[in-house]
Amino acid sequence: MTSQRRVQYWVIPPKADAEFAAAMERTIETYQPPYNVEIPVVCMDEQPISLHANAAGRESIPETLNHCKRVDYEYIRNGTASIFMFVEPLTGLRWVDVRERRTKIDWALEVASILPHFPKAKKIILVSDNLNTHTYGAFYEAFPAAEASRFCRLIELRHTPKHGSWLNIAECELSVLTRQCLKDRRFPTLEILQSETRAWNVDRNERQTVVDWQFTTDDARTKLKSIYPQF
């Protein structure tokens, strides 16, 4: 009889990868300067989510003193959606939205929607993973050329390395959203999901929990030295 072995899936960084090291250090250095209203740093990430409704005729059992609310395991699939998360680490502000899709146009529209929050910005550094929708060309698919060009001049994209999305603070914030708002819940429609995530967003912003990023390039060179080519 073969014994079962536990397996944990993890994002394992590559070994001796100069491109990974370069993108990692550039991302880490982005978080080091103090807050500058003219050059704010914003992190963004996306998360797909399935829309599920309770099956017809399967009534829930209300919560009691001894038991939590119980919902039948059967559900109806109502499609999917995508959550867009933007976070400004040094001010503790977040912006969350939900869309049906996550195309280049969706991404460009979401990025454009947060720009009015930075009226004094001369340049906005936007940290994201290097998904093929996170490109300057996306603005040209979503807006006329003159407007797209203005966005490209204002926004500086800084991509985390491939298999290095843990360097993106927005990914950490999505984990908080999942734990506090999404976990063990079903959202039957896009509108309900939008309403719930926006309510979470308002509460989170009122707390203005800033992010104190501690991982430095010196830490990376010591703790992740296998990533760097050896001489």
Side-chain angles (χ1 to χ4, degrees), residues 35 41-43 85-96 117-118 173 201-202 204-211:
Y35 181 71
V41 173
V42 179
C43 304
M85 167 69 72
F86 294 83
V87 55
E88 191 178 14
L90 295 180
T91 63
L93 294 177
R94 286 86 175 158
W95 299 273
V96 181
H117 295 286
F118 307 96
E173 195 65 22
N201 194 175
V202 170
R204 187 77 170 159
N205 279 346
E206 287 178 352
R207 301 172 189 271
Q208 286 195 308
T209 306
V210 299
V211 178

Side-chain angles (χ1 to χ4, degrees):
M1 182 176 179
T2 304
S3 61
Q4 292 185 345
R5 296 178 180 271
R6 295 182 62 188
V7 176
Q8 185 176 33
Y9 292 94
W10 201 254
V11 179
I12 302 175
K15 292 185 178 180
D17 189 325
E19 295 299 329
F20 187 100
M24 176 180 64
E25 290 204 355
R26 190 162 189 252
T27 302
I28 294 171
E29 289 168 359
T30 301
Y31 302 143
Q32 302 305 309
Y35 181 71
N36 184 345
V37 69
E38 294 185 347
I39 312 177
V41 173
V42 179
C43 304
M44 75 78 50
D45 199 7
E46 305 167 25
Q47 176 175 303
I49 185 171
S50 297
L51 301 175
H52 291 152
N54 293 332
R58 302 285 186 173
E59 294 185 3
S60 302
I61 300 176
E63 180 181 2
T64 66
L65 290 175
N66 298 321
H67 297 283
C68 62
K69 180 180 178 180
R70 282 171 281 186
V71 179
D72 194 88
Y73 71 93
E74 188 177 349
Y75 59 82
I76 299 172
R77 297 179 183 272
N78 282 346
T80 60
S82 185
I83 298 173
F84 287 80
M85 167 69 72
F86 294 83
V87 55
E88 191 178 14
L90 295 180
T91 63
L93 294 177
R94 286 86 175 158
W95 299 273
V96 181
D97 197 13
V98 184
R99 302 179 73 88
E100 292 183 3
R101 296 169 295 276
R102 54 174 183 168
T103 65
K104 284 187 175 183
I105 293 177
D106 290 301
W107 177 81
L109 292 173
E110 288 296 328
V111 173
S113 73
I114 70 163
L115 299 185
H117 295 286
F118 307 96
K120 298 182 180 180
K122 295 181 179 179
K123 178 173 70 173
I124 298 173
I125 298 175
L126 183 62
V127 178
S128 71
D129 60 26
N130 46 41
L131 197 65
N132 62 2
T133 55
H134 302 167
T135 66
Y136 289 114
F139 294 113
Y140 284 86
E141 291 195 21
F143 300 99
E147 191 172 6
S149 177
R150 180 174 66 85
F151 291 149
C152 292
R153 292 194 303 272
L154 177 62
I155 297 167
E156 179 182 325
L157 297 178
R158 293 196 182 177
H159 292 137
T160 57
K162 293 181 179 179
H163 308 295
S165 60
W166 55 272
L167 290 159
N168 188 348
I169 291 175
E171 183 174 278
C172 302
E173 195 65 22
L174 271 176
S175 296
V176 176
L177 170 65
T178 299
R179 293 195 307 271
Q180 295 182 353
C181 181
L182 307 179
K183 187 178 180 181
D184 298 326
R185 299 182 66 188
R186 291 176 182 170
F187 301 93
T189 67
L190 181 70
E191 292 74 21
I192 292 175
L193 179 58
Q194 288 174 329
S195 176
E196 292 296 304
T197 53
R198 285 169 184 168
W200 175 89
N201 194 175
V202 170
D203 178 71
R204 187 77 170 159
N205 279 346
E206 287 178 352
R207 301 172 189 271
Q208 286 195 308
T209 306
V210 299
V211 178
D212 185 15
W213 183 268
Q214 296 287 330
F215 196 65
T216 66
T217 51
D218 287 339
D219 293 329
R221 293 170 187 174
T222 301
K223 299 176 181 179
L224 300 175
K225 59 184 179 182
S226 64
I227 291 175
Y228 293 82
Q230 301 301 309
F231 297 94

